[in-house]
Amino acid sequence: MRLADLSERSQVSIATIKYYLREGLLAPGHRVNATQADYDDAHLRRLRLVRAMVQVGRIPVATVREVLAQVDDESLSRTIRLGAALWSLPRAAEPEPEDPAVVDAAREVNRMLTRLGWADAAELGPLSPVYRELIASVASLHRAGFPLDADDLVPYAEQMERTAVHDLDRMERLHTAVEQIESAIASAVLFEPVLLNLRRLAQEQEATRRFGL
């Protein structure tokens, strides 16, 4: 498809597409002549992902470029590419290791990992920004007077483990590693609010069942 067709199908303006091309967020089209290039479904898929990250996720362009570099790095295994891309997404502030609440939170998170048998997550530990952000979140709850210990965390983690299995089952329906990793990034940006609101809806339903209206 030509640039105008790409714009029409993606609902992204030509000017914005050209900006993404200049910034390296979108691969150049296949050159037809000195002034024209063709684009394919891979460009359309990547363009939709970039738009989701920039416009919906409010992720800075430099960060989007870093995430996409991990997605496209064929020298890495699929697992490492997926992890590196997700790790590159913006995160909350780092926890202070000497903070007593952080120390307590880390202890409970590590107990949770041991009880679940999540050996890979435990081995990565502080190398993972997801692990560090979880500790920071649990520490914040501790400070606010709503502590979570391993007993509280394990049932939530078990629910998320089932969710992760379903996530990867859906991801593997796609044909290539790039498509699979792109879908995981899109889900992290766009689908996590769906999970949040499903949880809140379920709480409303359970409260009504238990306590009535």
Side-chain angles (χ1 to χ4, degrees):
M1 71 192 89
R2 298 299 172 88
L3 184 60
D5 300 319
L6 180 63
S7 174
E8 182 177 355
R9 290 184 61 184
S10 66
Q11 297 298 298
V12 177
S13 71
I14 290 176
T16 299
I17 294 173
K18 288 182 176 179
Y19 170 68
Y20 291 162
L21 286 165
R22 288 196 302 272
E23 292 295 321
L25 306 184
L26 192 65
H30 309 292
R31 183 63 60 187
V32 175
N33 54 46
T35 59
Q36 289 185 321
D38 269 341
Y39 301 87
D40 56 24
D41 286 341
H43 288 95
L44 179 61
R45 191 181 66 244
R46 177 59 59 88
L47 181 56
R48 287 171 172 163
L49 175 62
V50 170
R51 181 179 62 175
M53 296 173 72
V54 173
Q55 297 182 1
V56 179
R58 308 290 185 186
I59 299 174
V61 167
T63 302
V64 173
R65 189 185 300 110
E66 180 182 354
V67 171
L68 296 178
Q70 305 295 345
V71 172
D72 294 330
D73 189 348
E74 295 182 354
S75 70
L76 303 175
S77 72
R78 178 172 49 177
T79 298
I80 293 176
R81 287 163 75 183
L82 174 60
L86 291 173
W87 285 9
S88 297
L89 292 172
R91 297 287 171 191
E94 292 286 325
E96 293 290 339
E98 304 303 320
D99 184 333
V102 171
V103 173
D104 289 343
R107 181 184 64 248
E108 297 306 322
V109 168
N110 290 331
R111 285 182 58 217
M112 175 201 74
L113 295 175
T114 299
R115 285 181 51 183
L116 291 167
W118 289 7
D120 295 325
E123 184 177 356
L124 283 172
L127 294 175
S128 166
V130 179
Y131 170 91
R132 298 195 302 271
E133 188 167 3
L134 174 59
I135 288 174
S137 298
V138 173
S140 295
L141 283 163
H142 282 208
R143 293 189 206 96
F146 302 100
L148 285 174
D149 61 18
D151 291 337
D152 297 312
L153 290 167
V154 163
Y156 289 110
E158 289 172 338
Q159 295 286 346
M160 290 299 102
E161 186 171 36
R162 287 190 285 273
T163 300
V165 169
H166 185 57
D167 285 342
L168 268 71
D169 284 346
R170 290 178 63 245
M171 189 179 81
E172 286 190 315
R173 295 174 196 166
L174 301 171
H175 298 296
T176 68
V178 168
E179 288 178 282
Q180 292 172 2
I181 299 167
E182 285 180 341
S183 75
I185 298 299
S187 291
V189 175
L190 300 175
F191 190 66
E192 286 183 359
V194 175
L195 296 178
L196 172 62
N197 286 295
L198 282 172
R199 176 176 181 266
R200 291 177 179 174
L201 194 64
Q203 286 178 331
E204 292 174 5
Q205 178 66 27
E206 180 62 14
T208 302
R209 186 189 70 80
R210 292 190 186 200
F211 311 127
L213 293 173

